[in-house]
Amino acid sequence: MEKLKLGINYPMTLLLGIRRSGKSSLVKVLTKEEKGIWIYLDLRKFESSSFIHYKDLILELEKVINVSIPDRLKRLFSGIRGVSIAGVNLNFKWGGEERVEFSQILEKLSEISEREGGERVVIIFDESQELRKLKGYNLLYPLAYAYDNLKVKFIFTGSEIGMVYDFLKVDDSKSPLYGRAYTEVVANPFSRETALEFLRKGFDELNMKVEENILEEAVDTLGGLPGWLTYYGFTYMQEKDHKTALRKTIDTAISLIREEFNNFLRGREEAKDRYRTIMTVCAKGCRWSEAKNAIESKEGTKIDDKRFTELLNNLIKASFLTKEGEIYKPADVMIGLAFSSTI
């Protein structure tokens, strides 16, 4: 949290971690503890979409700005092409020659920061990897402009860590954001002891006494992601039964992970069977050759090494797999369960 608080003093912060690692909770705590005007765009709504259009981005920004900016400051947006004011609400025109430009919105937000005595204006793009689906508009140019010239800060969160970097292209010499410094904060899963303490404190706050062996089984089964531990604790509170709470948590986890995997496959339909084969083979860990051989055996033909490696790398970028030495394994124990043939 301290590193995150430090990062918002600079133009760009990346908050990364696999799904349900606690990123959203960190952001919520940050916005409550630190002063500023917080503009939070929840991009999870686009997870099931194959494309995002400029219209989608601008309308989402319009909605969030209207609830985040004090009414007395909204008049500053008057005079911008593509912006009208109806009562106390801003309306952004997203199409045609009169459409509002994203860079002009950023300029007005920077002006607000200056008029408010340097108060931070922070735009949070939650699950920012979804922005790589934006078609017909390169968002990186106005972001780079704001980085260099304006007083607006940005936080990009992402659970598909490699996809976030693919979007921002900070290491690509041809990218507008190339060479820009940024703060990187990684939300890692809890260690076993931290996960146990997390559950202990949670149940203590509820004045519930839970045996240590039950907590240990929960952590050993669910792993160290705060999201699953929280869900288990909430379900245990309702059911008052460990086995029922554990089973419901596992079932919910598997259902959500499979839904997220189906979203990942959108736009990749031609290779969907190959991706599923890789995940099944690697559910308990596998080597490159084992996964490749499984696909070739299933299809009865050779697959190009380069193409196969690309499939693996896409799964790593999307945080379904991770690589440890020569072994490819699920990024979380629940992901392994979701693709296990025994479930």
Side-chain angles (χ1 to χ4, degrees), residues 237-250:
M237 178 185 68
Q238 292 182 315
E239 301 290 342
K240 303 295 191 297
D241 181 76
H242 165 63
K243 294 297 184 183
T244 302
L246 196 60
R247 183 71 255 174
K248 284 190 173 183
T249 304
I250 292 171

Side-chain angles (χ1 to χ4, degrees), residues 201-214:
K201 287 184 177 180
F203 285 123
D204 284 346
E205 290 176 3
L206 296 171
N207 294 316
M208 295 180 67
K209 177 64 176 177
V210 181
E211 297 297 326
E212 190 69 14
N213 65 310
I214 288 179

